[in-house]
Amino acid sequence: MTAPRSIAPTLHTGHSARVVDRLEATVLETHESRCTQLSINGQTVAVPPEKAGRNLVRVDDLVMADLMDDGTARVAYVVSTGNNEFIPHISTLGDVAQWVLPEHIARLLTEVGGSTVEIGQQGVDVKAPRATVTAETQLALNGKNIRTEAEELCVVQGREIHLN
């Protein structure tokens, strides 16, 4: 964490405002669901209408904001709408979309019916009524047909099995 620095507005003429830093900020004030004021490192920073973006926000929402060299801010994206509701940021890398979660989130859990997929730093766990795969390399399958491919020895319930 960097030490808070002064966010005093300065007047620049003859050029467009440039981004100085991207920081977490709390929405202090809105007008028609658009941000007008943010709190960054405990200081109030204005968000001009042209920098409010298309993000609809509420007071106390947590956002990532670009601090501009003219002392104003621009809302980049919404991180949290409060009530433990975090919004992932999606960026693109070529033809791949990448979810970027807030730094304090360690795992991503997706639930559909009786099935779950949990992604964490230790690996991926998939749990479903008929199959379970865990990051600890455990596999449980319930069904008539089991297909597998392995280059090394395959062991099921502590016994070697040899498959064609």
Side-chain angles (χ1 to χ4, degrees):
M1 186 84 153
T2 58
R5 59 183 142 60
S6 175
I7 306 176
T10 57
L11 296 175
H12 293 276
T13 58
H15 76 278
S16 297
R18 294 188 191 115
V19 175
V20 174
D21 203 357
R22 179 167 281 187
L23 305 162
E24 281 191 354
T26 303
V27 176
L28 292 179
E29 187 177 288
T30 64
H31 176 71
E32 296 179 358
S33 297
R34 303 274 193 248
C35 184
T36 58
Q37 283 190 344
L38 293 170
S39 172
I40 300 176
N41 291 332
Q43 295 187 29
T44 301
V45 179
V47 178
E50 67 275 8
K51 294 179 185 164
R54 295 172 34 194
N55 300 298
L56 299 179
V57 295
R58 296 179 298 212
V59 171
D60 293 329
D61 282 358
L62 182 64
V63 299
M64 289 304 290
D66 292 330
L67 182 61
M68 311 304 282
D69 67 355
D70 65 357
T72 64
R74 166 176 75 192
V75 175
Y77 58 92
V78 180
V79 175
S80 170
T81 60
N83 301 321
N84 252 355
E85 297 173 358
F86 294 95
I87 300 171
H89 172 67
I90 298 176
S91 63
T92 56
L93 304 169
D95 63 348
V96 176
Q98 175 185 11
W99 276 15
V100 180
L101 300 174
E103 288 183 18
H104 65 282
I105 302 296
R107 298 176 301 151
L108 176 65
L109 176 67
T110 303
E111 296 179 310
V112 178
S115 300
T116 63
V117 175
E118 184 176 332
I119 303 169
Q121 294 177 349
Q122 303 302 316
V124 177
D125 290 347
V126 178
K127 296 176 182 164
R130 296 178 51 113
T132 302
V133 179
T134 67
E136 292 84 29
T137 66
Q138 296 177 359
L139 170 64
L141 299 172
N142 301 325
K144 293 181 181 179
N145 301 314
I146 298 174
R147 296 181 61 194
T148 184
E149 291 182 26
E151 292 182 19
E152 299 288 328
L153 180 64
C154 192
V155 178
V156 175
Q157 291 186 342
R159 297 179 185 246
E160 294 179 17
I161 61 169
H162 301 274
L163 303 171
N164 293 352

